[in-house]
Each structure stands twice: as structure tokens, then as C-alpha cells.
Amino acid sequence: MAPPQDGKEAEVKEESVPQRPISNVVFIIAMKTEASPLVEKFQLTEESNSVFPKGVPWVRYSGKYKDLNINIVSPGKDIVLGVDSVGTVSASLLTYASIQALQPDLIINAGTVGGFKAKGACIGDVYLASDIAFHDRRIPVPVFDLYGVGTRQACSTPNLVMELNLKIGKLSTGDSLDMCPHDETAIIANDATVKDMEGAAVAYVADLLKTPAIFLKAVTDIVDGDRPTSEEFLENLVAVTAALDQAATRVVDFINGKNLSEL
Ligand code: ADE
């Protein structure tokens, strides 16, 4: 995980990649509906002895799958309203706390996204994001404009991409499910194929704490189509989550026993 950089700095980063098999994987998943099938698939159990601060709604499931220690963390239910705590604020706090407590070798931010049919996205497609940026942090002041967009690159995984035949696209993140004209302009400027509500926040924190991260995202709705986003999202959420979980399992099976540099 790194912002775009010249070749020299990239070389230094490559050298610091540990040459041992990946052992600890942390999934960051915003919604319970998205997380539950994976919790079952990996036979994880909810940890009551929390590594998180007292009183937060964050949930952690953990267990062993093949040679991997797997944790799935979710921001849980909003304390006031009881709905899943989606969005960048919860995602960044949870990512920070999870890295501090669990020291993962790799973060997998898995979830659902809106896709752009103009960029080839279809309902049920699963994407691995190459680049991640914000589309709703507009700061029209030199250099602050780039800070607002906050582009980061996902951990490079050429072998994973080839082996699993996953679609690759850029991911754009904002705190709204819908898309206003300002957001649309920024998403197009980000050259994004998919949009979500957490990815760039996870990417920012992972980069800050030098933790490799990948972004696995399944398309529930077509943003540039003719259906209202919320309607299409809710209609497809459960079915598309099954596709996401299948892809996540294949990713984990591929990761098992490999070094980061082999991904
Ligand atoms: N998650 C699923 N669909 C989405 C959309 N259209 N925008 C943001 N996040 C999403």
C-alpha cells in the first residue's frame, strides 16, 4: 500500500517486505450482511474479550483457517440508531484500532460497491481495486486539492489477479450512497470503475501504519444506470454478497502459505 511514488522509493519498500508466509489476515467489512457468510465459511467465533476500547460497538470474529489466523472486524451497529456503522469515520477508527491490536500482515477490505457500466461493471462482478481515492473532499487550494483526493495504491498482487481472473478497477470513496453532480465529476476525475463508502479511509490508515492492504469489492448497483441506487442496492445485497464471499474464500486459499512478495 503506497501513494504513487518514483521507482527508487518503491524499491526500498519492496526490500522491507517480510520474506515469510503471511500469517495474520484482517478483513475489514462494514456491514453485518456482508460479514456473516464469511464468518460462517471460515468458522470464526465472536470474541467477547475485546481488544477494542470499552463501549464501542465494533465486533471481532477470529479463528484459524488452514495456516492463517483470520480476524473479521466490523464497525457494528450505531449506538444511537442501531444500523451498521458504514462510512469513512467508523472505517478509519476501526482500521487504526485493528492494526494496533492485531498487527496484521495483510488487510482485506471487502464489501459492496456501486459500479459504472460505462467502465464495464455489471451487477455481481467482483473487483480488486488497483487505486483508491476520495471523491467528496473538495479543497480547491493548491496541493490541498491532492490531499483531499488522497490517492493510494493497493498492495500489488499480480499473481493473485492472474490466478483468480479478477476484474481490476479504480475505487472511489465518499460518505454518501447516492451521487451528486460534484461527486460524479470527482469520480470521473479519479477514473473510477467502482464507488464505495470505506475504501479510501482504510487505505489511508493502512498506508499510515505501513500495513499492506487489498480491496475486494462486489457490485450491487449500477450508478450510471436507470434504477434508484438504494433500491437496486437493497435488492441485490444478499445475492451479491454470496459472490463476494466466494471470491474472498478463493483469495484466502491463494494467500495461504505464501509470502507477500508472491501475491
Ligand atoms: N455500496 C454499494 N453500492 C454503493 C454505491 N452506489 N455507493 C457507495 N457505496 C456503495
Side-chain angles (χ1 to χ4, degrees), residues 31 34 111-115 135 172-179 194-198 218-223 229-230 233 237:
M31 298 185 74
E34 297 163 338
T112 54
V113 284
H135 57 249
S172 196
T173 299
D175 269 303
S176 299
L177 184 70
D178 68 0
M179 183 175 68
V194 287
K195 75 183 268 278
D196 79 344
M197 297 176 66
E198 290 86 20
V219 177
T220 46
D221 50 275
I222 295 300
V223 185
T229 294
S230 52
F233 167 70
L237 179 60

Side-chain angles (χ1 to χ4, degrees), residues 16 28 39 48 73 85 164 184 203 205 208 216 233 237 240 243 261:
S16 62
I28 297 177
V39 168
S48 51
V73 297
S85 307
L164 271 61
E184 185 173 12
V205 179
L208 204 59
L216 194 65
F233 167 70
L237 179 60
V240 167
S261 59

